[in-house]
Amino acid sequence: DQQVKQNSPSLSVQEGRISILNCDYTNSMFDYFLWYKKYPAEGPTFLISISSIKDKNEDGRFTVFLNKSAKHLSLHIVPSQPGDSAVYFCAARKESSDSWGKLQFGAGTQVVVTP
Amino acid sequence: NAGVTQTPKFQVLKTGQSMTLQCAQDMNHNSMYWYRQDPGMGLRLIYYSASEGTTDKGEVPNGYNVSRLNKREFSLRLESAAPSQTSVYFCASSFRQRGETQYFGPGTRLLVL
């Protein structure tokens, strides 16, 4: 039973435009959320995170929005660049000492940025 | 700093064979993890080691064993490989704390025939 869902397996966006990636979760105990980026033949790399006490976190071109009541988060990439073409994973966990490290991942969204 | 390294990069096994996947980190992290990635499933936690000397089951531990050899190294063993264990395996490490970020190795692609 997947507790973190990324319902769009792929997304194509033009260079310079905004990419919006969506993620839904079912476990109301989750209170820390992360996005990872993965290139082919490499391991995932951390991109950005957000705690449930916030509804927005921004880091350069990347912004994550959290809607706790809807159990939904989104990642905005503005502007999109060709190097952003990768698979993006949403992940979540409970921020308690017995749950640190126990990430639940979504299935990923393949982003392709076209010239 | 090499970060997290994994060996081998690719392996083909026959059903019933055994093998050990190796992982090492040089970031002085206390926690280490093993995940598998399957199409349409994301990454799923197999086993983790919160600190040297401890290991615990994750979401999908059946068919696997682990050893936390020392603070740097965490190995994953398949005693009798099955085709269902065909997957890409990732090792990760972190400082186990609030707001932790896990750092991943490049992965081992395993094919079980």
Side-chain angles (χ1 to χ4, degrees):
Chain A
D1 177 31
Q2 275 201 291
Q3 300 182 57
V4 178
K5 297 178 183 177
Q6 295 176 258
N7 292 320
S8 297
S10 63
L11 173 69
S12 183
V13 63
Q14 273 191 315
E15 184 177 358
R17 305 293 289 266
I18 183 171
S19 294
I20 300 177
L21 290 75
N22 294 304
C23 177
D24 297 293
Y25 60 97
T26 58
N27 190 337
S28 58
M29 300 295 289
F30 290 149
D31 51 13
Y32 195 77
F33 306 89
L34 307 90
W35 285 93
Y36 280 83
K37 177 179 180 178
K38 184 184 178 305
Y39 292 118
E42 294 184 12
T45 55
F46 170 73
L47 192 56
I48 192 169
S49 62
I50 188 166
S51 166
S52 61
I53 62 173
K54 296 184 175 181
D55 54 17
K56 177 182 173 181
N57 190 26
E58 195 169 353
D59 184 1
R61 296 186 297 114
F62 302 93
T63 303
V64 56
F65 295 92
L66 175 62
N67 183 334
K68 289 189 294 289
S69 60
K71 296 194 186 68
H72 176 84
L73 61 156
S74 61
L75 174 69
H76 292 208
I77 307 173
V78 184
S80 299
Q81 298 174 354
D84 296 330
S85 295
V87 176
Y88 290 79
F89 291 100
C90 173
R93 68 162 186 261
K94 290 185 285 184
E95 193 71 326
S96 61
S97 60
D98 64 338
S99 294
W100 290 338
K102 292 182 184 176
L103 290 174
Q104 291 280 336
F105 281 85
T109 296
Q110 172 76 61
V111 172
V112 176
V113 180
T114 57
Chain B
N1 262 3
V4 180
T5 57
Q6 293 182 236
T7 55
K9 285 186 168 47
F10 179 70
Q11 184 73 43
V12 179
L13 290 179
K14 294 181 180 178
T15 296
Q17 287 185 317
S18 62
M19 78 162 294
T20 300
L21 282 65
Q22 306 286 355
C23 173
Q25 53 90 11
D26 62 2
M27 296 175 281
N28 202 34
H29 286 161
N30 49 5
S31 296
M32 297 185 74
Y33 313 87
W34 277 105
Y35 292 88
R36 59 178 288 174
Q37 185 197 0
D38 302 294
M41 299 290 292
L43 285 81
R44 291 180 293 169
L45 184 64
I46 304 171
Y47 269 94
Y48 68 100
S49 171
S51 60
E52 190 178 350
T54 68
T55 60
D56 283 290
K57 295 178 180 179
E59 187 183 349
V60 288
N62 290 347
Y64 305 95
N65 285 302
V66 290
S67 295
R68 183 74 182 266
L69 304 170
N70 48 55
K71 191 172 186 179
R72 288 188 64 245
E73 297 172 289
F74 189 38
S75 63
L76 178 72
R77 182 159 178 85
L78 287 71
E79 290 291 353
S80 178
S84 61
Q85 294 178 304
T86 293
S87 188
V88 182
Y89 291 85
F90 290 101
C91 177
S93 70
S94 71
F95 286 114
R96 192 160 181 265
Q97 60 188 14
R98 185 172 295 277
E100 66 160 331
T101 298
Q102 292 183 19
Y103 295 83
F104 285 81
T108 294
R109 187 173 295 274
L110 177 66
L111 176 61
V112 183
L113 301 175

